[in-house]
């Protein structure tokens, strides 16, 4: 028989598609043709596969070989097809009986010596195979723990083409996944290390409880970076769906540690201020890779020295902040990645960055305005909390009483989130920051007229946009949840206005 077929999975963005790898061997001038919209890495597979087959002790068929990847209209990217191509080719040449591999998905990159190397994106690939009804997968040995995360699949690992051939021919065992790979829950920095800054700590707690974006503006040494780095420590661990999504994103980006299970800690991304637009929102040649905003999905994206970022990189965040997704379009198709991250901006109030703050600032007023104006109005309008931190004082720095730890604050955050999830359950939302504005302005959630008088006055005066109006209401609900009240009152709205505008902070 000169024809064989095995199953693999192609990945476009986070979406996996079952791919049939066909091999047809016919008389004629020896050569290899690959069809089915392969990229450069797949075109080069012919040389990798040939060397791997020969160095694994198998005979290379000197015939005209046609390899087809179905569906042919789906772009194929990467080297994860190598192992499936080698198996299909050996099956078509009659060297390998493929009955043992019926309805088995095969993934893996081949080295020239026949070793099977780990590949990116195994988790979403395996999840797509399970969704398509496939019950068994063979993956690189280094990816078995990752693949085993998907329930209902029989996962086996292989470290070389020779071992896979021995399994098919002689029934030799393959590598099993490690028993119960522990989820990644490594603890990060703790809030107990942050001295003073009660305003910054309050803003951080409100941001965590409601899923709000946060801007921290203050002089050097005020604790902006320390606070931002500790935001993940007071966020709840990711549930199963969110953990699968976050782990899949890190797998696609090649950032998942070998042998790691699900990522349960909210991710934290802090790109340097020289980061380009593709590194922030995603991109790159071939298949567009997720950027920092997607790698921070269900976690925190921290932009330190935010005014130093390029205007293009900052403005590119406006749509992800609003929609929670990034759509990257390319000539050969688009890739969509989730990007529901909490944005935290940190900025000095001026270029001189005096540790004493405004009291000893040497910058002219025009210079100060120009510096912070690098953060555009439309971007800041999407930031719920905009807090100005005062300089640190010696009394705060030397305070003998230990501040609250992350565990104590996290307990209040969890309780507030539970209250919000119960309240918004009927609408399908879980966080106050996600509630559409029109829903907040309709009964039964519409606040009393006397409680929103100042807020309406600011909207009429033009000092607050309609988007800002809704964001203040969301903040008020979060403040009420943290304080254990069923509905926000006038004081909650007043505090929300203060946290939103930075006035009096």
């Amino acid at each position: 028989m000169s024809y064989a077929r095995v199953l693999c999975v192609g990945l476009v963005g986070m979406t996996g598609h079952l791919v049939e790898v066909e091999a047809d061997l016919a008389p004629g001038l020896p050569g290899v043709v690959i069809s089915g919209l392969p990229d450069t890495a797949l075109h080069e597979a012919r040389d990798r596969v040939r060397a791997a087959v020969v160095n694994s002790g198998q005979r290379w068929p000197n015939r005209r070989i046609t390899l087809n990847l179905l569906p042919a209209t789906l772009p194929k990217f990467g080297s994860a097809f190598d192992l499936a191509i080698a198996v299909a080719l050996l099956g078509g040449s009659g060297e390998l009986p493929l009955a043992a591999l019926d309805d088995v998905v095969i993934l893996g990159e081949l080295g020239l010596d026949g070793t099977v190397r780990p590949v990116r994106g195994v988790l979403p690939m395996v999840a797509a195979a399970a969704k398509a009804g496939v019950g068994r997968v063979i993956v690189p040995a280094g990816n078995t723990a990752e693949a085993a995360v998907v329930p209902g699949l029989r996962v086996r690992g292989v470290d070389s083409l020779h071992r896979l051939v021995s399994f098919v021919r002689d029934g030799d065992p393959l590598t099993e996944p490690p028993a119960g790979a522990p989820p990644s829950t490594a603890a990060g920095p703790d809030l107990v290390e942050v001295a003073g800054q009660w305003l910054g700590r309050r803003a951080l707690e409100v941001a965590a409880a409601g899923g709000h974006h946060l801007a921290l503006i203050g002089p050097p040494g005020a604790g902006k970076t320390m606070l931002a780095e500790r935001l993940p420590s007071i966020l709840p661990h990711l549930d199963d769906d969110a953990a699968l999504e976050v782990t899949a994103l890190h797998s696609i980006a090649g950032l998942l540690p070998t042998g790691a299970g699900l990522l349960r800690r909210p991710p934290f991304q802090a790109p340097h201020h020289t980061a380009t637009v593709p590194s922030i929102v995603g991109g790159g040649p071939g298949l567009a890779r997720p950027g920092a905003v997607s790698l921070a999905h269900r976690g925190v994206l921290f932009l330190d020295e935010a005014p130093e970022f390029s205007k293009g990189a900052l403005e590119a965040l406006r749509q992800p902040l609003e929609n929670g997704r990034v759509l990257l379009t390319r000539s050969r198709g688009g890739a969509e990645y989730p990007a529901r991250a909490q944005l935290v901006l940190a900025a000095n109030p001026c270029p001189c960055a005096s540790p004493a703050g405004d009291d000893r600032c040497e910058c002219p007023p025009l210079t100060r305005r120009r510096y912070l104006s690098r953060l555009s109005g439309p971007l800041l309008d999407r930031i719920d909390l905009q807090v100005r931190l005062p300089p640190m004082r010696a009394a705060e720095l030397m305070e003998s009483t230990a501040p609250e730890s992350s565990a104590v604050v996290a307990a209040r955050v969890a309780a507030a989130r539970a209250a919000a999830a119960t309240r918004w359950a009927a609408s399908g939302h879980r966080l106050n920051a996600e509630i559409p504005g029109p829903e907040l302005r309709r009964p039964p959630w519409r606040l009393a007229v006397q409680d929103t008088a100042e807020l309406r006055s600011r909207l009429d005066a033009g000092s607050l946009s309609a988007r800002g109006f809704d964001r203040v209401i969301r903040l008020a609900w979060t403040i009420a949840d943290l304080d254990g009240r069923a509905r926000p009152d006038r004081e909650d709205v007043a505090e929300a206005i203060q946290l939103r505008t930075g006035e009096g902070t």
Side-chain angles (χ1 to χ4, degrees), residues 59 67 80 110 138 174-175 221 234 247 273 305 341 346 375 378 430 440 468:
R59 186 171 62 88
L67 299 168
L110 284 173
I138 295 176
L174 298 179
T175 304
I234 61 175
T247 307
H273 64 259
E305 306 295 344
L375 305 176
R430 298 177 60 86
L440 289 171

Side-chain angles (χ1 to χ4, degrees), residues 349-352 361-374:
C350 62
C352 78
C361 175
E362 300 175 355
C363 300
L366 182 59
T367 301
R368 289 174 61 92
R369 287 198 301 271
R370 282 178 175 172
Y371 184 71
L372 285 182
S373 68
R374 297 178 187 177

Side-chain angles (χ1 to χ4, degrees), residues 81-115:
F81 297 91
D82 287 4
L83 188 57
I85 289 174
V87 170
L89 190 149
L90 291 174
S93 67
E95 293 288 315
L96 198 63
L98 297 184
L101 297 178
D102 284 346
D103 294 325
V104 177
V105 161
I106 302 173
L107 302 170
E109 176 184 329
L110 284 173
L112 299 183
D113 58 352
T115 57

Side-chain angles (χ1 to χ4, degrees), residues 37-385:
L37 292 183
D39 70 343
T40 302
L42 257 175
H43 272 299
E44 296 171 347
R46 69 187 77 184
D47 300 316
R48 291 195 301 272
V49 170
R50 179 186 176 95
V53 167
V54 172
N55 290 329
S56 298
Q58 307 303 312
R59 186 171 62 88
W60 180 263
N62 287 317
R63 303 165 72 180
R64 178 174 175 78
I65 302 169
T66 302
L67 299 168
N68 186 39
L69 310 177
L70 295 175
T73 56
L74 179 76
K76 318 296 189 308
F77 303 96
S79 56
F81 297 91
D82 287 4
L83 188 57
I85 289 174
V87 170
L89 190 149
L90 291 174
S93 67
E95 293 288 315
L96 198 63
L98 297 184
L101 297 178
D102 284 346
D103 294 325
V104 177
V105 161
I106 302 173
L107 302 170
E109 176 184 329
L110 284 173
L112 299 183
D113 58 352
T115 57
V116 178
R117 303 178 183 276
V119 294
R120 295 178 175 184
V122 163
L123 177 55
M125 290 180 185
V126 170
K131 187 176 180 180
V134 175
R136 294 185 295 164
V137 295
I138 295 176
V139 300
N143 293 126
T144 52
E146 177 184 347
V149 165
V150 179
L153 277 179
R154 184 181 179 188
V155 177
R156 292 294 181 268
V158 63
D159 57 4
S160 68
L161 177 59
H162 177 74
R163 186 181 295 274
L164 182 56
V165 169
S166 298
F167 163 75
V168 175
R169 284 180 178 164
D170 308 320
D172 292 352
L174 298 179
T175 304
E176 296 191 11
S184 175
T185 57
D190 197 288
L191 267 177
V192 76
E193 302 160 355
V194 179
Q197 286 299 4
W198 66 268
L199 177 60
R201 293 174 68 99
R202 175 64 171 175
L204 201 72
E205 185 174 339
V206 172
H212 305 286
H213 304 306
L214 170 65
L216 297 171
I217 302 172
K224 303 184 296 294
T225 302
M226 288 190 71
L227 286 167
E229 289 175 343
R230 284 151 182 80
L231 178 54
S233 70
I234 61 175
L235 294 174
H237 285 187
L238 303 177
D239 59 25
D240 290 344
D241 291 340
L244 277 170
E245 209 169 24
V246 169
T247 307
L249 282 164
H250 283 72
S251 174
I252 293 168
L255 300 176
L256 197 63
T258 301
L262 285 176
L263 300 179
R264 291 289 185 179
R265 269 286 181 188
F268 180 83
Q269 292 288 313
H272 192 260
H273 64 259
T274 57
T276 61
V277 174
S279 70
I280 295 291
V281 299
L287 175 64
R289 301 289 180 185
V293 68
S294 291
L295 294 175
H297 178 61
R298 301 297 180 187
V300 178
L301 175 63
F302 175 45
L303 303 186
D304 201 3
E305 306 295 344
E308 302 298 335
F309 281 77
S310 71
K311 181 179 179 62
L314 291 172
E315 296 305 305
L317 289 171
R318 285 160 56 176
Q319 185 179 3
L321 292 183
E322 201 73 19
N323 302 333
R325 304 197 72 80
V326 172
L327 178 60
L328 305 169
T329 56
R330 296 292 184 270
S331 59
R332 297 185 63 192
E336 187 175 13
Y337 295 110
R340 197 165 293 283
Q342 279 187 254
L343 178 64
V344 179
L345 303 178
N348 295 316
C350 62
C352 78
S354 169
D358 295 342
D359 293 343
R360 297 185 183 178
C361 175
E362 300 175 355
C363 300
L366 182 59
T367 301
R368 289 174 61 92
R369 287 198 301 271
R370 282 178 175 172
Y371 184 71
L372 285 182
S373 68
R374 297 178 187 177
L375 305 176
S376 70
L379 176 63
L380 286 177
D381 203 29
R382 289 164 168 81
I383 308 299
D384 300 8
L385 297 99

